[in-house]
Amino acid sequence: LTFPLLSVTLLVSFGSSMLYGYNLAVVNSPAEHIKAFYNATWSQRYGRGLGPAPLILLYALTVSIFALGGLVGSLLVGLLVERYGRNGALSRSALLVLLAGGFMGFSRELGSPEMVIIGRSITGLHSGGCFLGCAQPLPHGSGDGEGFVFPTGSVEGIFICLGVFSAQVLGLPELLGKDRFWPLFLSVVVVPASLQLLLLHCFPESPRYLLIERNDICGATKALHRFLGTPDVQDVIEEMKEEQRSLSSMEMVSVWQLLRDRSVRWQTLSVAVVNAGMQLSGIDAIWFYTNTIFENAGIPVSQIPYTTMGTGAIEVVAGLIGCFTIERVGRRPLIITGFCAMGVCSAGITISLLLQAALPWMRYVSVACVVGIIAGFCMGPAGVPFMMTAELFMQSHRPAAYIVGGSLNWLCNFTVGFIFPFLQMSAGAFCYLVFCGVCLLVALYVYLVIPETKNKTFMEISHIFA
């Protein structure tokens, strides 16, 4: 990797995947402070506080509205990238984050819980556009999985872990974990967005976008000189021209056509299963409600922030392991092992919670199981589904496949974030068995149906499915 190529890859990851991870975990630490703010505001407006159930409902909406914004952003990003290019789409997304940070940062001063919810939805809109759009291979002007400047699955997994870890560190009581700092804690998202906005203009536009979408051969050549650090880029230009001719003669498949196409029926079902399973595995419940889970497990309240930060550090290590082993081990073993580990650990949390009254040391087993779920997720399911989506389909089907996978990803994220508090209230320790069942079923499906995609062409993969 040349320095400009590495720099822009890290910049895109920092402002997309890392920000996505931060927004997943940022609501965990200040949960009680935000609930107290909602209750106090409600009392000032209507003369009475919120009951337990309405308060949980309002907070669950605050947590999960992020995913609905992400769904909308993932559906719109193709149009933005096609119209404005990578840099233009990322710049407009960064401006959205600045707006969201303003809403959340001034929400308490203006006594408006609605501003927190609106800010969360806007950050979701940004993450949907960047994490599952600009930072993913899209045929709409940004490359096709072999682009010059965009991170791929395992790298994104690392930056998600770093984002989660940074939220856990900043949420410590010694930093921004105090009651008076929670609006600032939520609005920290403006820092990476501002940095990305300032630095993006230092890098040229995506060469593929310039040549394929704008037919700007001169601009694409200059961008390649900058990114590749070599004066001889004619071979790459000819390769992109060939791709341009191929795309111009290719008819892109719509989502409806993809769902009706029997020749890729198993590939489509596989994308749906792994993307839905990734979110229904319980990882979002862990990220959104870590402190609540540890509190129910009997961890002393004073130790919970540091325990949470420790799980985040292990998460980063697991992400690095997954990144450096995926090309050596393959996609299939990592995703099967990851889901199996998550399923076993989800069952372990249930067992430890049931036995902790008789065996106090079981609380530490709960912590170990949470660490196991996070490590299992980061080593496989975190990044592999995005890579598989690109590898299971030819270029004409890939945009529709990303829409199907991304939509299910965000819808399941919303579902878990919204219903988990109520599931925990109604089912108690047994709620984790739902996640256990999902993880083991997805692992079984991958084992029985999905082949290894490493170093295989689309035609070879299609033949194996058939």
Side-chain angles (χ1 to χ4, degrees):
L1 287 178
T2 61
F3 180 74
L5 180 56
L6 178 62
S7 299
V8 77
T9 300
L10 293 176
L11 179 63
V12 172
S13 297
F14 182 69
S16 57
S17 302
M18 188 169 176
L19 207 52
Y20 169 76
Y22 184 88
N23 283 311
L24 285 176
V26 71
V27 290
N28 172 56
S29 176
E32 296 306 317
H33 305 318
I34 295 174
K35 289 178 184 177
F37 165 64
Y38 285 178
N39 201 30
T41 304
W42 199 270
S43 296
Q44 291 173 3
R45 289 182 183 180
Y46 306 105
R48 56 185 174 82
L50 285 163
L55 184 58
I56 291 176
L57 178 65
L58 189 58
Y59 182 71
L61 178 63
T62 304
V63 170
S64 58
I65 197 71
F66 170 76
L68 288 186
L71 174 61
V72 175
S74 66
L75 295 176
L76 294 178
V77 66
L79 298 175
L80 285 174
V81 174
E82 186 173 14
R83 182 170 182 179
Y84 300 110
R86 177 211 64 201
N87 287 4
L90 287 172
S91 297
R92 284 160 176 78
S93 296
L95 289 173
L96 283 178
V97 177
L98 300 184
L99 178 64
F103 271 109
M104 295 185 291
F106 292 103
S107 58
R108 185 168 60 181
E109 295 297 324
L110 299 177
S112 176
E114 296 85 356
M115 292 177 68
V116 180
I117 296 173
I118 293 171
R120 284 282 295 170
S121 65
I122 295 176
T123 57
L125 192 66
H126 165 269
S127 290
C130 284
F131 172 57
L132 293 178
C134 298
Q136 286 288 338
L138 277 178
H140 294 291
S142 296
D144 62 351
E146 300 174 346
F148 292 97
V149 295
F150 295 109
T152 52
S154 56
V155 177
E156 288 172 1
I158 292 175
F159 274 89
I160 293 172
C161 296
L162 287 173
V164 171
F165 182 60
S166 63
Q168 292 166 341
V169 171
L170 290 176
L172 292 175
E174 293 84 356
L175 298 175
L176 300 180
K178 295 184 174 66
D179 179 43
R180 67 179 185 273
F181 290 140
W182 69 259
L184 177 61
F185 186 31
L186 295 182
S187 61
V188 164
V189 292
V190 303
V191 176
S194 299
L195 185 63
Q196 188 179 70
L197 197 60
L198 289 172
L199 295 181
L200 268 176
H201 74 277
C202 298
F203 299 97
E205 186 54 82
S206 164
R208 287 175 185 259
Y209 170 77
L210 291 172
L211 194 146
I212 295 174
E213 293 293 333
R214 294 296 176 88
N215 203 29
D216 183 1
I217 298 177
C218 181
T221 303
K222 290 180 180 178
L224 284 171
H225 286 320
R226 180 86 178 276
F227 281 128
L228 301 182
T230 175
D232 184 14
V233 296
Q234 192 58 39
D235 290 344
V236 183
I237 291 291
E238 292 301 323
E239 181 184 334
M240 288 195 292
K241 286 182 178 179
E242 179 62 33
E243 181 183 348
Q244 184 185 39
R245 288 190 289 269
S246 175
L247 288 174
S248 64
S249 62
M250 185 184 299
E251 182 180 353
M252 292 297 175
V253 172
S254 68
V255 172
W256 179 242
Q257 289 172 322
L258 176 72
L259 296 177
R260 295 184 62 188
D261 190 343
R262 295 177 64 86
S263 67
V264 291
R265 175 181 54 190
W266 283 103
Q267 289 95 318
T268 305
L269 180 60
S270 298
V271 166
V273 168
V274 295
N275 276 278
M278 180 171 65
Q279 300 299 337
L280 296 178
S281 63
I283 189 64
D284 288 316
I286 298 294
W287 279 334
F288 287 147
Y289 302 104
T290 310
N291 286 14
T292 303
I293 292 171
F294 285 155
E295 187 177 347
N296 291 336
I299 303 299
V301 175
S302 60
Q303 297 178 16
I304 287 177
Y306 308 99
T307 306
T308 301
M309 188 183 69
T311 64
I314 295 172
E315 184 178 344
V316 174
V317 174
L320 288 170
I321 293 173
C323 179
F324 290 117
T325 59
I326 189 167
E327 291 301 330
R328 181 172 297 180
V329 177
R331 287 82 161 118
R332 195 166 175 268
L334 280 181
I335 198 168
I336 292 173
T337 303
F339 274 116
C340 285
M342 294 174 75
V344 171
C345 289
S346 295
I349 293 179
T350 297
I351 294 171
S352 62
L353 290 177
L354 292 174
L355 297 178
Q356 71 178 13
L359 302 170
W361 55 268
M362 275 291 176
R363 68 183 65 171
Y364 302 108
V365 175
S366 296
V367 175
C369 288
V370 169
V371 170
I373 291 174
I374 293 173
F377 179 79
C378 292
M379 290 180 65
V384 173
F386 304 123
M387 301 179 70
M388 277 189 169
T389 304
E391 294 170 340
L392 293 181
F393 294 92
M394 67 175 68
Q395 181 66 40
S396 59
H397 290 64
R398 208 170 288 160
Y402 268 111
I403 291 174
V404 171
S407 298
L408 282 171
N409 196 299
W410 286 112
L411 284 172
C412 293
N413 186 311
F414 171 79
T415 300
V416 172
F418 189 75
I419 70 169
F420 179 73
F422 301 99
L423 183 64
Q424 199 173 36
M425 287 172 59
S426 59
F430 296 100
C431 68
Y432 299 97
L433 293 181
V434 176
F435 303 133
C436 172
V438 170
C439 290
L440 296 181
L441 286 174
V442 174
L444 181 63
Y445 177 89
V446 175
Y447 178 77
L448 295 175
V449 176
I450 301 180
E452 178 56 63
T453 59
K454 186 183 73 168
N455 297 330
K456 288 186 174 65
T457 66
F458 168 78
M459 295 308 298
E460 290 172 335
I461 295 170
S462 181
H463 179 72
I464 294 172
F465 270 111

